[in-house]
Amino acid sequence: TVPYWDWERDDAEEQFSTPFRAKTFGTLQGTSGWPDYCVTDGVAAGWTASNDKCLWRQWGGAGFTGAMDMSAIITSNTDFAVFRPTFEGSPHASPHRFVSGHMGSGLSPDDPLFFVHHANVDRIWAL
């Protein structure tokens, strides 16, 4: 079993999402950016990213797509050519934009949240 981050359950309460705890993937650090918001707790505490800087998160911005909206996107887009860009746009990209920092950049795989996020993306594709 691959763990996944079911972010559609956290819509409107993103900052309280289970991954953002000190004992899991680390708390959200704030809004002013590197180097002030390096991840200091959780599994990625003290990690150095591939750009030789600390792993950081600058949360804010877009919220997550909720379960009801996700269901509507899935059921109303039966054509793959329509579903794929719709899904990639908001539901997939929202956690990247919300967490920001490394997750909001081309270095998103440096953040362990990337993998539980994409496990959820894969789960949704399989529905």
Side-chain angles (χ1 to χ4, degrees):
T1 303
V2 176
Y4 61 90
W5 171 21
D6 194 356
W7 34 257
E8 61 268 27
R9 293 176 183 248
D10 298 325
D11 179 42
E13 295 191 350
E14 290 84 359
Q15 69 272 25
F16 302 113
S17 185
T18 301
F20 304 138
R21 296 187 180 152
K23 292 185 178 182
T24 56
F25 289 90
T27 52
L28 292 170
Q29 305 300 317
T31 58
S32 75
W34 185 88
D36 298 324
Y37 293 101
C38 299
V39 176
T40 59
D41 53 17
V43 298
W47 280 18
T48 301
S50 61
N51 62 351
D52 293 325
K53 295 182 178 179
C54 69
L55 178 66
W56 66 281
R57 299 181 182 136
Q58 183 180 348
W59 69 276
F64 303 154
T65 300
M68 296 295 290
D69 290 335
M70 190 71 252
S71 179
I73 290 169
I74 292 169
T75 58
S76 66
N77 291 294
T78 57
D79 182 347
F80 176 79
V82 175
F83 174 75
R84 190 201 60 76
T86 301
F87 182 68
E88 289 292 324
S90 180
H92 161 259
S94 293
H96 285 280
R97 289 190 305 258
F98 179 80
V99 175
S100 196
H102 279 90
M103 271 291 283
S105 75
L107 299 174
S108 56
D110 285 349
D111 193 323
L113 285 172
F114 172 89
F115 297 98
V116 293
H117 164 53
H118 278 267
N120 192 43
V121 168
D122 291 347
R123 180 189 68 84
I124 292 168
W125 273 109
L127 295 176

